[in-house]
Amino acid sequence: MSRQVTAATLSRPVPESDTELFSAAALLDPYPHYAMLRSLGPAVFLTRYGMYGLFRHDDVRPALVGWERFSSAEGIAMNPVTNELMAGSILGMDPPRQRVVRKVFDDALRPKYVRKVAGDLERLAGDLVDGLVRQREFDGVADFARKLPVDIVLDLIGFPRDGERADLLEWALGAFDFMGPASAHQSSCRPDVEALMQYLATKATPEKLLDGSFGQIVWQAVDRGEITDTEAVMTMSAYACAGVDTTIAGISSTLWLLAQHPGEWAQVRADPETVAGAFLEGLRMEAPVQSFARVTTCDVPLEDLTIPAGSRVVLSYGSAGRDERHYPDPDRFRVRRAPSDTVAFGFGVHHCPGRALATMEAHALFTALARRVDRIELAGAVRRTPNAITRGLSALPIRVT
Ligand code: HEM
């Protein structure tokens, strides 16, 4: 009897690793784990989590583009409870439905509209940095990175200006942590998700959202029958989660890197054109979204390996940025590298629609700093809170001259 030859039978077995990639210790310093996982092959089976993982840049990027084989439709979280709760979120859709919902984001976040707030961002960044320079010492997260995302972006999204709005940031961090592999810690984040959903149900309603905001564009799409009520609430949730903490993490990590590399800061000061590249380099090295997952719709060959159909696969944006196969000397922060091909904003159909806005915020802040500050130094120990999905700092003591 002839044996059927499939891609799976021609391949060598996918290498396995029992590394605890989502333990608190690994989340605080994932880079040695990523380097080990990249060395094993183009795909690795993570035995502790029952998931495959892609850790090399040149495997992660095509997987992001190839949504027909690496689908988001079964959710991009790493546990079934969260994937069920996220039903109706754009992040958990494939085209053609994803394109319909995506239009709502693209209409709001188109660079030509976003540029309208450039003046506000520059003014606010200038005033902020003037005050921080007078203070000389400040917290790079609370006093620097948080200001524009909270004061401008939450207004743009349209959340009412009340006391509860600031809590969104904590709830969103909890919601990201809730997307990790099932564990006691992961399920302990559920109250944050419930608080976020309760807030959205009561405050992100058409009559309460600020006039002219992105949120109102979302509900107008519901009125036109383009998206459903559930999709609208989940769209507001995507704005709250994807749009604020990520930008704060990216800005504070870049500031942290600049403080540790005075020579690189001198280059930014000498040539303001390098500001955009410095932010990209910060995101490459410290991706605010470290990973999301996909599910394979068929057997997927990768070099001499095959990932079987129906597998959950972690796509590691954080490891891709440190891949020595793609970026020479990847652990070195060099503002002139300006890695515009970084996957830190994703790629393909789900690439980040907020990229232009986040970049403008970072640009306004670092340009204001470059005009006024000669030296940036660390003034104490930094603090991080481990999170299954996002990577950022919780405290960053900074001194400027
Ligand atoms: C430095 C800041 C940011 C980073 C690093 C970032 C990162 C990402 C990444 C990696 C994805 C891809 C998700 C995937 O592959 O499944 C994504 C998607 C998304 N981002 Fe961002 N983001 C940032 C800022 C923003 C901002 C400012 C907004 C909105 C105000 C935003 C809204 C979204 C939305 C709605 C999606 C889902 C798009 C879709 O599924 O089609 N992001 N972001």
Side-chain angles (χ1 to χ4, degrees), residues 64 72 76 89-93 98 101-102 105 109 153 157 214 235 238-251 279 283 286-290 292-294 315 317 343-359 361:
L64 289 169
S72 297
I76 61 164
S89 165
I90 183 166
L91 286 156
M93 290 176 185
Q98 184 264 354
V101 179
R102 175 70 186 225
F105 286 103
L109 290 164
V153 177
I157 299 172
F214 298 166
T235 296
Y239 267 130
C241 292
V244 189
D245 285 305
T246 49
T247 314
I248 297 170
I251 292 170
F279 184 52
L283 297 178
E286 295 288 324
V289 177
Q290 286 281 300
F292 279 144
R294 301 288 195 261
L315 304 183
Y317 313 90
V343 293
F345 284 111
F347 235 89
V349 291
H350 289 278
H351 78 267
C352 179
R355 180 173 181 156
L357 178 57
T359 303
E361 293 172 69

